Every structure is written in structure tokens, then in C-alpha cells.
Amino acid sequence: MKWIPAELHTHTLHSDGRFTVPKLCACAKRHGLEMIALTDHNTLSGLDELTDELSRETIPVIRGIEWTAYYGHMLVLDCGEYVDWRDVSQGDMDQKIRQIRANGGLVGIAHPFAIGSPLCTGCCWEYEVSAWEQVNYIEVWSGEFPALHRGRNGRAEDMWQSLLDRGFRIAASYGRDWHADAEDKAPWGCTYLAVEESTPSCGAAALREGRTMVTMGPRPIAEIYDGRAQREIYPGCTIPAGNPLSMRLGMDMEERHGEWERFHFIPELAQVTGAGGRILAEARLDPGAHLQFTPPAGHFRIVYRGQVMGKPCAIAFTSPYYAEA
Amino acid sequence: MNEQILFTLDRPFRPAEQNQTYFFPIMVPARCEKLTIDFSYDPKQLADGEVFRNMLAACLSKYMPPPYSQELEGLPVEKIPLVNLLTVSLDASDRRYIGCAHRHPPRQRHEISAGSASRGFRPTEIQEGTWRLGLQCHAIVTDPVQVNICVKGVFQ
């Protein structure tokens, strides 16, 4: 298994982006990304431009669409059949989500606390959902310098945390909502996916199984070993509660450093958090930092904290691990 | 080559009609090789004034209430235009979704045929039967917005 950086929310000239499909792929590669999801608004036509040759010359692309509906935007990836969004009402999104899942698709809620209509039409999530067990991921962080924006991303984190606390297994993603390549004045993020191979189907499998980490900059390192089960565990894994875990935690300060080093990242602390965001354990992010941690029943995840552009904030976090009694 | 008008729409839409898709049947005769869609709406933008300021304030207080509203301080939010956003989508006679042009320009022309299609739509053979045009009213901030659509068939 290897971790690859991905951007899972992109647009081209097939909707309102400024990229052609080949230019989006080339630009993503230039930014050190190793996979993207193409998610044009309400259309699949850009997917017809994806070829093996383009993938070989640039990067692999997960096929997707962004349901740009009236009361929320939803990312639908790797879905076998097109499912129509145009007749969805605020009360029957569950049925649509089930239809997507029945067709093998992945469901991701995009920027759930973005400013909505009319400033950004339908951008804030206002659909009623009961079937959260059918939702694969939430774009917990989106936009520029995501950790600073409590209104947009802090509330998304709170929503995600609350769903995890209720027992739903939902992965986290970052979405740049990439429409054009522009000069960066602050850090963007990316989603790291743990994949067997760099193929779209492995990327989709990582999201489906919750093997994701979100960062504004350096790649988080979370090498976690379950000594009793004698195996390495990844986000999304289920392990027995009470099994002692050996954790090597850190941040890779080399990978993609050209993308983020100018924003002055200083990693300081890794925290293992559980229900309600409660801190269960923590360790300073010194070289070779190790942590012994025995998880209680429930979910836990790792949050990496430090400073970015002189501001104390979260830098990255993993999707949850699940410990069962 | 000759053209035949298959469908026209010229009517105002009001703010109460936003957040809905309106579907219109299009009868496509045999031997049609290409469809063209001319779509426009006017105005695009809500002019500055009391209505604009009230709408903007209502939007911000709903979606970015205190304490989050502090994050908008210093940003030129009052300069963000409030615009109408309407888009067109198309289904073939066999109910296949052909696509949608989800983009902002208020004047658009699209062409769909077996060999090629405007971005947003997939190339599709133009089969005889009842096609379906969707008009997605994502945002109507002016009262009204005048919508014009003309769908033509192109025949050999």
C-alpha cells in the first residue's frame, strides 16, 4: 500500500472550469498530484476525453460528476449508471443516494457549509439525509487555507465528528473545487489516498474503504502497527478495542514541498482524538516520534497541529480508524 | 441542409420559480442529423440597489451567521455580483441523459450530433422521437428574467 496525493473535486470547460481535460491533467501532474477525480457540474461529457494515452502521459483520473443541485452539491464517483439529480427534492435525497450506491457509485458531500444561494447556488448542503451509512465521504476541508475557515470548514468538521459519534463510518476528503490554475497566496490542500496501485479503481477503493488523509501541506505519516494482530493498519480499518497500537507519527517534509514550503509549515503535535473530538493521546512531532496507544471502543483519528504562515492551526488529519469491543 | 424549428420558448421566469427544473418535450422528426439549441436569458445581473443589498445581507446572515461572519470582514463581499443562473440539459428519445451546459454566459449555442457535440453534451445520434429539454433555474435574482430557447433540427 502507498499513499498518493489526489485532488477529488475538479472542473473543466465541460462545465464552468477554465481547463481543457488534458490541461487539467497536465496541471495536476505539475502540482505533484498523482490522481484526480473529474467532477464537472451535471455532465459526464468530459469523461469521453479520458484516454489511456492521456492517463499514461499525465495521471489517472477517477470518473465522476458533481451533482450541482438546488440545495446542495454532491460528488458522485465511479458510478456504473448515470443517476438523474434533476428531480430530487429536499426530502428524497436518501433514495437518490441509495440508487447511486446500488450502481456501484461513491457518494461524497461537497463543501457542506459553503455560502449558499444566491451567492453560490446550492453550495450549502440543505438536503435531508437519514441514510448517512450510504455516504462514503464528506469534503471536510475545502478551499484555500482550509483550517482557518471555521464558518466553512470548522462547521463541516463538527458535522463530520457528530456523524462519526453516531456510529456512521464516513471518510474525509479535501476539495479544492479546482476551476482554474491561479497564483497561490495561501495553501490549498489535497487528499492522500492509500492505494495498492495508482489506478482509478484503486483510488475509488481507497475512498470507499476510508483510507484517506487530508492535509494543507506536508504528507502526514501515520504508521500504525497492531502488534497483537501483527499487521499495519490504515484509516478505515476495524481493529479490536484494547489491542495496543504502536504509532510512528510525523510529517514528510520533502514530498511535494514545492507546493507548500513557501507557506512556512511547522508541525508540532499529533493528537489522537476520539468521540466528541476528545484528545485520547498526543505526541510531539519530533523526528522518530512514537506513541503507544490502546484504543477504547469507538472511532479515533489523528490530527496534526502546528503553525502555518505563523498561525497556529491544524495542518492535517486522518480519516477514522474503528475499534470494536 | 435545411433547418426546422422544433421548439421555442420565450417567457419570463420569476424568483418563485427558481430551484426547479422545467422539462419540455421536443418532437424530433426522422432523418434529423443535428440539433442546435440557442439559449439566452436577460438580465444576467441584479443591479446595485436596495433589493441587491437586502438579498446579499439575507444570504450572508443565513449562511455565515455570527461568529463566522467575522471571517468575511475585510472581504469585498458587497462587490460580489448577484446573478441569474439558468442552464439547459437534454435527454434523448430513449431517455438517455445527453448532458448539460452548466456555465454562466447568458447567451449560449449548443450543437449535438452523432459525430460531435458542444462541451457539456455527449455526441449522440439524433433519433426520431420525443426528446426532452430541461431548464434548470438555479438562481433567479431579478423579477423577472426573460428566457429564450430555440431548438432546431438540421436535416440533409
Side-chain angles (χ1 to χ4, degrees):
Chain A
M1 202 82 81
K2 61 181 176 180
W3 288 100
I4 61 166
E7 172 51 56
L8 300 171
H9 189 160
T10 68
H11 299 280
T12 72
L13 289 165
H14 286 269
S15 59
D16 62 352
R18 294 191 194 157
F19 295 108
T20 62
V21 173
K23 283 190 174 165
L24 169 66
C25 296
C27 190
K29 183 179 181 184
R30 208 164 52 244
H31 282 282
L33 297 167
E34 295 181 37
M35 191 173 290
I36 59 169
L38 178 53
T39 55
D40 268 312
H41 299 289
N42 297 339
T43 183
L44 300 163
S45 63
L47 306 179
D48 295 339
E49 292 192 49
L50 299 176
T51 61
D52 291 344
E53 186 184 4
L54 179 63
S55 177
R56 268 196 309 276
E57 287 175 359
T58 58
I59 57 172
V61 179
I62 303 173
R63 301 164 70 88
I65 184 172
E66 183 176 15
W67 276 30
T68 305
Y70 303 119
Y71 299 100
H73 293 188
M74 192 166 83
L75 300 162
V76 177
L77 306 185
D78 200 30
C79 191
E81 294 278 330
Y82 171 75
V83 179
D84 202 351
W85 69 271
R86 292 170 295 174
D87 56 353
V88 68
S89 65
Q90 275 187 285
D92 67 359
M93 185 55 96
D94 279 349
Q95 182 195 336
K96 290 289 187 182
I97 288 173
R98 287 198 174 94
Q99 209 177 334
I100 292 163
R101 292 295 304 270
N103 281 290
L106 284 155
V107 172
I109 310 297
H111 44 63
F113 285 91
I115 294 176
S117 298
L119 268 178
C120 182
T121 60
C123 288
C124 181
W125 186 261
E126 297 174 277
Y127 285 103
E128 293 163 24
V129 176
S130 304
W132 283 105
E133 74 283 356
Q134 301 288 322
V135 173
N136 297 98
Y137 64 102
I138 294 175
E139 206 175 72
V140 175
W141 273 5
S142 59
E144 195 178 43
F145 211 149
L148 279 199
H149 295 283
R150 287 288 309 160
R152 182 184 176 104
N153 295 314
R155 285 189 288 174
E157 277 186 71
D158 293 345
M159 168 193 180
W160 180 50
Q161 179 77 49
S162 158
L163 290 164
L164 297 177
D165 292 350
R166 288 166 57 194
F168 297 108
R169 296 189 171 202
I170 301 173
S173 75
Y174 167 84
R176 179 167 178 166
D177 204 349
W178 207 11
H179 285 74
D181 201 22
E183 191 187 343
D184 303 344
K185 296 192 176 94
W188 301 93
C190 73
T191 309
Y192 273 89
L193 305 172
V195 296
E196 296 281 1
E197 294 173 45
S198 295
T199 63
S201 60
C202 286
L207 266 172
R208 192 171 282 118
E209 290 158 25
R211 291 193 306 270
T212 73
M213 301 196 288
V214 169
T215 181
M216 284 198 298
R219 178 173 68 82
I221 296 168
E223 293 173 8
I224 305 181
Y225 192 71
D226 178 346
R228 200 168 285 167
Q230 297 193 329
R231 63 166 185 150
E232 187 168 4
I233 65 165
Y234 290 86
C237 277
T238 302
I239 55 169
N243 270 18
L245 302 176
S246 170
M247 299 179 161
R248 187 174 85 84
L249 303 174
M251 301 207 88
D252 185 328
M253 301 306 284
E254 296 298 324
E255 189 171 316
R256 292 184 79 231
H257 69 280
E259 294 300 313
W260 48 261
E261 66 178 348
R262 61 191 175 283
F263 303 119
H264 310 293
F265 281 79
I266 306 173
E268 293 172 344
L269 190 68
Q271 296 175 326
V272 182
T273 68
R278 201 172 66 253
I279 297 166
L280 304 175
E282 61 183 26
R284 294 214 47 89
L285 284 170
D286 299 324
H290 266 83
L291 184 66
Q292 299 296 320
F293 171 65
T294 301
H299 62 85
F300 66 92
R301 59 194 176 95
I302 302 161
V303 182
Y304 300 76
R305 297 191 174 277
Q307 294 180 46
V308 182
M309 298 172 75
K311 298 181 196 318
C313 58
I315 296 174
F317 57 92
T318 69
S319 277
Y321 304 75
Y322 304 98
E324 285 186 347
Chain B
M1 292 286 234
N2 61 71
E3 291 184 342
Q4 181 183 333
I5 292 176
L6 305 178
F7 171 79
T8 62
L9 178 80
D10 180 6
R11 63 156 273 202
F13 281 81
R14 309 200 62 180
E17 295 174 288
Q18 70 182 347
N19 294 332
Q20 291 181 65
T21 301
Y22 299 87
F23 290 107
F24 304 99
I26 301 171
M27 308 304 290
V28 176
R31 290 183 294 284
C32 182
E33 298 210 331
K34 180 163 77 175
L35 294 178
T36 65
I37 304 170
D38 286 291
F39 167 54
S40 65
Y41 55 93
D42 186 63
K44 177 65 184 173
Q45 188 171 333
L46 176 62
D48 191 12
E50 192 178 350
V51 175
F52 169 86
R53 286 190 293 274
N54 289 343
M55 204 178 282
L56 182 64
C59 177
L60 294 176
S61 70
K62 178 178 179 184
Y63 293 110
M64 218 37 86
Y68 310 113
S69 51
Q70 292 171 7
E71 294 172 18
L72 300 173
E73 282 173 13
L75 296 175
V77 284
E78 71 286 355
K79 291 189 178 158
I80 299 172
L82 293 181
V83 295
N84 292 318
L85 177 62
L86 297 93
T87 65
V88 288
S89 59
L90 188 67
D91 300 277
S93 54
D94 59 6
R95 287 292 185 225
R96 264 179 310 132
Y97 182 64
I98 306 307
C100 173
H102 187 99
R103 55 189 71 116
H104 271 281
R107 290 185 179 281
Q108 303 175 11
R109 181 181 173 83
H110 309 292
E111 297 188 353
I112 298 100
S113 67
S116 65
S118 303
R119 286 188 175 114
F121 300 94
R122 303 182 93 162
T124 307
E125 189 181 338
I126 311 301
Q127 291 176 337
E128 179 184 6
T130 305
W131 288 54
R132 191 171 72 152
L133 183 90
L135 173 67
Q136 289 78 232
C137 295
H138 288 277
I140 300 177
V141 294
T142 62
D143 193 4
V145 59
Q146 188 68 29
V147 177
N148 275 274
I149 303 174
C150 179
V151 180
K152 292 178 186 164
V154 180
F155 300 81
Q156 270 292 5

